[in-house]
Amino acid sequence: MSRLPKWLIALLTLALWRRGKAEGSEQEDGDGRIVPEGSADRRAESWVIALLFAAALCAAGFVVVYAADGLGNRTQLFGIALAVCFALIAVALIIVARHLIVTEHLEEDYPEPGGDPEEQEAVAEVIRESGSRFTRKKLLLAAGGTAAGAVSAAAAAPVLSLGPLLDTSRLQETPWHRGRGLVDDSGRALLADDIETETFYTAYPEGATEEEKDQIGAPLVVVRLDPSALRLPPERARWAPGGILAFSKICTHASCAVALYRKPLYAPTEPRPALVCPCHYSTFDPATGGQVIFGPAGRPLPQLPLTVDGGLLRAGGPFSAGVGPGWWGVRRKRSI
């Protein structure tokens, strides 16, 4: 056999050397892995992406329901939106843990933080290698970021609605104006002659729409006192015909409903009738225009002037002050 040219021998030697080096590198890389490489599971990835985007839609739905005033059963819709949102996120995380994370079984504990740098690097390498099954990392990160952003928006919406970033002027709107009649919870008109002393009545605006009924200034408490016992401010001298007084039913401390009427049983400690909020026991004196005589409330109950028209009780004008807790007026230019 004729001898091969030297240049051909050199090329063959170079090719064999490069091939051997590549095989050695692959073998070295395979032996150097801490966690075995896992096979891709695109179906599981698709489920995770879909679940995260669906969770984002549910969280966005919470914000929409919170912002919409005309929807019924809003409290139930709030709960459904958040429950479904968190359930979808939980299912997505379970799928990730079971199908997309490569697991290993170790008999020894992971090293404590701050220990041997080589051991800490090994732990970091385990974390990096455990995600070898992910093939659409950017899309998964986008889905996770969208879900996290939507959940954050759902958490922020109730906080922002407290103000002052959003307009809270609607909280001061009430359905009461001069001439509007008072009715009970069944819609029956309240007559002046039907209001008895030592009795507590709840009243609503006559012919109120659903939106008006939802306003915090809609419900009233109505009581009757002996006209000689009234100590109202001079400008309210004609606000209580026949000793009949009306006040906002919303406590000025924390917006609970004033639902108790204290009738004096022992003069030294209970000298006169009073309206009581059962939440924190703020107590208001109707005889003096709803002044606070006990408890944490910071201002009087707003009083509604009354008139009698053909025996029917009607509003004589708007409330004496803004309805609701006192802290609503902290950042207003004019105190409520």
Side-chain angles (χ1 to χ4, degrees), residues 7-307:
W7 61 269
L8 181 58
I9 296 174
L11 287 176
L12 290 174
T13 303
L14 179 62
L16 291 173
W17 175 78
R18 290 177 66 89
R19 180 180 177 184
K21 183 177 180 182
E23 290 178 352
S25 178
E26 291 177 359
Q27 183 68 28
E28 181 180 351
D29 290 343
D31 294 339
R33 289 187 64 89
I34 301 176
V35 179
E37 185 174 4
S39 58
D41 191 341
R42 295 180 66 85
R43 183 180 179 184
E45 283 185 319
S46 298
W47 271 109
V48 172
I49 293 168
L51 288 169
L52 290 176
F53 278 125
L57 286 176
C58 290
F62 173 90
V63 178
V64 172
V65 172
Y66 190 86
D69 293 332
L71 295 177
N73 301 319
R74 294 175 67 197
T75 302
Q76 290 82 352
L77 292 175
F78 292 155
I80 292 173
L82 288 182
V84 174
C85 173
F86 290 127
L88 292 174
I89 293 175
V91 173
L93 294 176
I94 291 172
I95 293 176
V96 169
R98 292 191 174 184
H99 298 280
L100 297 177
I101 298 295
V102 181
T103 59
E104 63 166 347
H105 298 281
L106 296 178
E107 296 181 358
E108 299 178 358
D109 296 334
Y110 283 121
E112 295 294 331
D116 188 352
E118 293 185 0
E119 292 182 346
Q120 296 301 317
E121 179 60 28
V123 173
E125 186 66 23
V126 167
I127 296 174
R128 286 192 294 267
E129 294 177 358
S130 296
S132 60
R133 290 182 176 176
F134 291 101
T135 62
R136 291 175 283 179
K137 294 182 180 180
K138 291 184 179 180
L139 187 55
L140 283 166
L141 288 174
T146 302
V151 171
S152 299
V159 177
L160 293 178
S161 66
L162 298 176
L165 296 178
L166 301 183
D167 182 17
T168 60
S169 60
R170 292 189 61 189
L171 296 174
Q172 303 303 320
E173 296 178 0
T174 75
W176 294 103
H177 55 78
R178 183 175 180 82
R180 189 152 205 180
L182 278 66
V183 298
D184 60 16
D185 55 0
S186 63
R188 184 180 65 86
L190 289 182
L191 300 174
D193 292 341
D194 292 339
I195 307 301
E196 301 178 355
T197 59
E198 299 185 350
T199 304
F200 179 97
Y201 299 87
T202 299
Y204 302 91
E206 181 182 21
T209 63
E210 289 299 324
E211 183 176 357
E212 289 177 326
K213 290 178 181 178
D214 289 338
Q215 291 181 6
I216 198 171
L220 300 174
V221 293
V222 180
V223 294
R224 187 169 202 157
L225 301 178
D226 186 340
S228 63
L230 299 183
R231 299 293 184 270
L232 297 175
E235 65 274 14
R236 304 187 198 177
R238 303 179 63 181
W239 284 25
I244 303 174
L245 305 106
F247 299 91
S248 168
K249 195 177 178 71
I250 305 303
C251 179
T252 56
H253 172 233
S255 295
C256 296
V258 176
L260 300 175
Y261 184 51
R262 186 188 73 188
K263 294 182 291 185
L265 298 177
Y266 182 62
T269 58
E270 299 177 357
R272 53 190 179 274
L275 301 171
V276 182
C277 173
C279 289
H280 307 98
Y281 293 98
S282 292
T283 306
F284 306 91
D285 185 2
T288 60
Q291 293 293 323
V292 181
I293 56 178
F294 181 78
R299 64 188 184 92
L301 277 180
Q303 184 179 357
L304 185 76
L306 296 178
T307 62

Side-chain angles (χ1 to χ4, degrees), residues 310-332:
L312 298 174
L313 284 175
R314 297 188 180 277
F319 282 104
S320 60
V323 174
W327 48 263
W328 277 357
V330 170
R331 291 181 180 263
R332 291 171 62 86

